[in-house]
Amino acid sequence: MDSINNIIKKAQNDIFPELEAKIRLELEKKDKDWLIDQIIFLTCERHSLHEQKSNFENIKKRLIRIKSIGYDSKTLSDFIGEYQKINRSKLEESGLLLNPPKMGLNSIAVQQRSIKGETLLKKVEDMLYVSLYGDITINVDLKRNQKEMLTIMLPKSKSDSLSFLKAVSEMNVTGTWNDPDGVSNDDHTNNVELQIEFNNDEEGTIGLAIFTALNLINLLHVNEQILYTRMEKIERSSLS
């Protein structure tokens, strides 16, 4: 017995030869250089090479910014003092967010951040990068003596918001969340668990800077009601 899928498949098979012929006819009118450019573009797009190039260029710009500023424990402490208690309302009142979706719904798009909001997001991403990976080679002077594991849980659809991080173990997990307000109930949602090994300092300033940065990234971009993160000490690791 026919199903709707079988009917659609049959229709596609009937149409395809005519469609292929029309495409071929149009392509035959194009010059060789144009065809080569299109093949290169589509090949790069298929293998995400454009995205990789963009990420690489963004990392280079980030490292240049970090080196030009220089970071130490005081820089981290000042950052924590300024932003630890910030919330969604303050960002909206300050004009950093422009009509963003309710927390728990879509990620906040670039057009929903003002220029100052976009500048702050870059600054916060730099601080997260510094806290996790910064060393003297990029003008970062932090005393690190405690190996820890950072775990971040977020929806797979929003994981690109942290794509600038490196040396990340990524696992697909299923999660549930019952929103008391009924805005963003999740039933067996496809989540991603990110794990990053890093070196904290004895006072825990680096770890607190990481939590502060992740909270701001959530408020400015990820847009979860709760962005679940945790840190735990590592007694021994093959990376030590």
Side-chain angles (χ1 to χ4, degrees):
M1 185 174 69
D2 279 344
S3 67
I4 186 67
N5 288 333
N6 288 337
I7 292 172
I8 292 172
K9 186 177 180 181
K10 184 178 183 302
Q12 288 174 333
N13 290 339
D14 291 342
I15 293 171
F16 183 77
E18 182 180 352
L19 178 63
E20 184 181 32
K22 286 184 177 181
I23 293 172
R24 180 180 292 276
L25 184 63
E26 290 299 317
L27 290 177
E28 286 174 349
K29 299 175 185 177
K30 303 296 182 182
D31 64 68
K32 181 180 176 181
D33 287 341
W34 183 91
L35 288 169
I36 291 173
D37 287 343
Q38 294 301 307
I39 291 170
I40 291 172
F41 176 83
L42 292 173
T43 302
C44 290
E45 187 177 60
R46 181 172 182 178
H47 295 282
S48 302
L49 297 181
H50 295 302
E51 183 179 349
Q52 290 177 36
K53 181 182 178 183
S54 177
N55 287 340
F56 180 71
E57 289 173 350
N58 287 337
I59 289 172
K60 280 175 40 177
K61 291 177 183 176
R62 172 161 286 117
L63 294 180
I64 290 170
R65 287 197 302 269
I66 291 171
K67 284 182 180 181
S68 67
I69 295 172
Y71 292 78
D72 56 22
S73 58
K74 184 180 184 306
T75 316
L76 268 62
S77 295
D78 290 346
F79 172 78
I80 295 165
E82 185 173 2
Y83 295 111
Q84 187 178 14
K85 295 183 179 180
I86 201 163
N87 56 39
R88 170 72 169 258
S89 297
K90 290 180 181 178
L91 292 175
E92 291 188 88
E93 289 167 6
S94 302
L96 299 177
L97 292 178
L98 310 172
N99 298 316
K102 287 186 178 181
M103 294 189 74
L105 299 181
N106 295 335
S107 297
I108 296 172
V110 63
Q111 63 267 25
Q112 294 168 324
R113 290 186 292 271
S114 66
I115 294 174
K116 288 184 177 180
E118 189 67 17
T119 300
L120 177 58
L121 179 59
K122 282 187 172 62
K123 173 183 175 180
V124 174
E125 289 175 344
D126 289 352
M127 180 60 73
L128 180 58
Y129 191 96
V130 163
S131 300
L132 287 170
Y133 314 116
D135 59 22
I136 200 67
T137 63
I138 55 172
N139 199 18
V140 176
D141 182 16
L142 296 173
K143 294 179 174 61
R144 301 177 182 271
N145 47 30
Q146 173 59 55
K147 189 166 287 295
E148 298 194 19
M149 179 70 77
L150 170 67
T151 300
I152 308 168
M153 193 85 69
L154 74 168
K156 191 174 182 66
S157 60
K158 297 182 176 183
S159 60
D160 62 338
S161 58
L162 295 175
S163 61
F164 63 93
L165 298 178
K166 64 178 186 178
V168 178
S169 298
E170 182 175 319
M171 290 159 280
N172 293 322
V173 294
T174 301
T176 58
W177 159 255
N178 292 318
D179 176 10
D181 298 324
V183 174
S184 58
N185 290 325
D186 294 328
D187 184 18
H188 293 86
T189 299
N190 292 325
N191 287 337
V192 174
E193 181 178 303
L194 306 176
Q195 291 189 337
I196 307 164
E197 207 170 296
F198 74 101
N199 287 315
N200 206 344
D201 60 329
E202 201 168 77
E203 297 78 15
T205 304
I206 295 173
L208 191 52
I210 290 171
F211 276 134
T212 303
L214 284 171
N215 178 55
L216 259 170
I217 289 172
N218 183 48
L219 293 173
L220 288 165
H221 191 183
V222 180
N223 201 38
E224 286 294 280
Q225 289 183 323
I226 298 175
L227 179 61
Y228 177 73
T229 58
R230 74 171 184 269
M231 290 177 193
E232 49 198 338
K233 292 182 179 179
I234 297 176
E235 295 299 328
R236 187 170 298 173
S237 166
S238 60
L239 298 179
S240 301

